[in-house]
Amino acid sequence: MMYICPPGQKNNVGSDEHWDLSTKALQGAMDKKGLAYEVDPGEGVFYGPKIDIKIKDQLGRSWQCSTIQVDFNLPERFGMTYTGQDGAEHQPIMIHRALMGSLERFIGVLIEHYAG
């Protein structure tokens, strides 16, 4: 199952406008591809909304595997900027993706799924 995860904490970084724009962009991408998803309020990390792909193992347990996260935090912390077409400096927004989560988690899910 795929989930869109909007803000989860009150101490989120980035503006409400960025959060709203990014959450809508993630939803729009899923809608454009015709992918089914659920909104999982409160599961977004403090640095930006995300798409989580959760899989179930043989015992019916849900595991977060792949994720795509929007990050407002690192560009701000590292003072990253770029010059836009308007000639002004802008702060980028990073996108992280983990196709299998961590390798350790992925191997653990496989071991559990196939009972060792």
Side-chain angles (χ1 to χ4, degrees):
M1 174 56 74
M2 294 189 208
Y3 298 89
I4 299 287
C5 303
Q9 302 176 14
K10 293 182 182 179
N11 60 344
N12 297 326
V13 296
S15 68
D16 290 343
E17 179 184 30
H18 279 151
W19 273 88
D20 188 48
L21 181 66
S22 297
T23 300
K24 287 179 181 175
L26 293 174
Q27 289 174 316
M30 299 286 280
D31 291 340
K32 185 175 181 178
K33 288 294 185 181
L35 299 171
Y37 64 91
E38 293 178 16
V39 175
D40 196 0
E43 287 300 313
V45 292
F46 75 96
Y47 55 84
K50 64 182 178 172
I51 295 173
D52 273 346
I53 299 173
K54 297 179 183 175
I55 60 174
K56 288 193 177 187
D57 67 12
Q58 194 71 352
L59 300 174
R61 296 176 296 188
S62 184
W63 297 83
Q64 176 196 345
C65 200
S66 299
T67 188
I68 299 169
Q69 299 173 316
V70 178
D71 184 349
F72 309 116
N73 185 45
L74 290 179
E76 181 180 314
R77 286 182 64 193
F78 292 127
M80 299 168 75
T81 61
Y82 68 93
T83 304
Q85 290 182 348
D86 59 1
E89 292 290 309
H90 300 274
Q91 187 172 336
I93 296 172
M94 294 177 72
I95 298 176
H96 303 274
R97 70 179 185 140
L99 298 180
M100 298 183 296
S102 70
L103 185 57
E104 293 83 1
R105 180 185 295 171
F106 183 72
I107 297 299
V109 170
L110 284 177
I111 290 169
E112 290 284 327
H113 184 73
Y114 290 104

